[in-house]
Amino acid sequence: MASAVRRAAAAPSFDRSFGTLRRISLDVECWIELASGWVSGSDALFEELLRTRRWGQRSRRMYDRRVQEPRLTSPWSAASGAPLEPAIVDEMRRALSGRYGVDLDSAGFNLYRDGADGVAWHGDRIERRIAEPLVALVSLGEPRRFVLRRKGGGPRLAFSLGRGDLLVTGASPSHSEGLID
């Protein structure tokens, strides 16, 4: 009986009220919102995603050669017609879309396998037709450092994200960039 109660308590859920969300204005064009522990039962969700997503490693051109990205990825797009699974991830997507008044129509799952995986300074590639882009990150698993700065340099803002934390960025696509290490 006690183990059944423990399993039930670990079932993933998230704070639909966004009650712990706090906004940090970086300047007039850029802000972030952060909710620590937004997903409860995040370890169970992480394990489910590890088992059920199709993971692959992409390559990209950097400078004068092609290199393997130092992470595994698993993309999803509404245009594919495939459901976003597990269902709770689609519920999160819909809740975030409703809160921010946008259609979050794609999701990128990124798996940082160990301390050697990470990404350098970069800006997410968002279609130019989207005037005010929004990026929502739900971090599961062990905490990793996420750093944000103005594009091209400047003061840095660092966060330790993991175990169900939510970070939402709102900025002009040419305005900011981030890294994960």
Side-chain angles (χ1 to χ4, degrees):
M1 177 78 149
S3 63
V5 171
R6 251 183 268 128
R7 273 195 301 262
S13 63
F14 65 98
D15 177 12
R16 296 170 194 274
S17 73
F18 297 90
T20 63
L21 201 64
R22 64 183 174 98
R23 180 172 281 219
I24 301 168
S25 294
L26 303 175
D27 61 33
V28 294
E29 295 180 14
C30 186
W31 52 267
I32 61 168
E33 288 189 336
L34 179 65
S36 296
W38 187 64
V39 177
S40 59
S42 64
D43 288 345
L45 179 56
F46 179 69
E47 291 299 324
E48 184 175 357
L49 290 168
L50 278 177
R51 281 191 324 273
T52 60
R53 298 295 312 171
R54 287 186 175 171
W55 298 101
Q57 189 169 28
R58 298 183 297 198
S59 65
R60 67 177 49 222
R61 186 149 189 80
M62 289 187 73
Y63 309 107
D64 60 345
R65 60 190 167 108
R66 272 204 101 58
V67 298
Q68 294 292 312
E69 284 188 350
R71 63 183 177 183
L72 299 180
T73 61
S74 179
W76 173 85
S77 170
S80 73
L84 178 55
E85 295 178 329
I88 189 162
V89 176
D90 194 49
E91 292 170 27
M92 288 179 210
R93 179 187 70 84
R94 291 174 188 271
L96 288 160
S97 291
R99 175 173 179 80
Y100 293 101
V102 298
D103 181 22
L104 296 172
D105 61 359
S106 64
F109 297 85
N110 297 311
L111 177 61
Y112 299 92
R113 298 162 289 187
D114 56 36
D117 279 0
V119 291
W121 290 112
H122 70 285
D124 288 332
R125 293 188 181 128
I126 298 174
E127 295 179 34
R128 292 186 190 273
R129 68 177 172 78
I130 300 174
E132 295 181 21
L134 183 100
V135 175
L137 306 170
V138 177
S139 186
L140 305 173
E142 293 298 319
R144 296 292 300 256
R145 193 170 76 112
F146 175 83
V147 185
L148 190 66
R149 72 175 182 190
R150 281 176 111 14
K151 192 168 186 174
R156 299 172 181 193
L157 193 53
F159 302 91
S160 178
L161 300 176
R163 300 272 188 252
D165 295 339
L166 169 68
L167 179 89
V168 181
T169 65
S172 161
S174 62
H175 189 75
S176 65
E177 56 190 359
L179 75 75
I180 298 174
D181 67 0

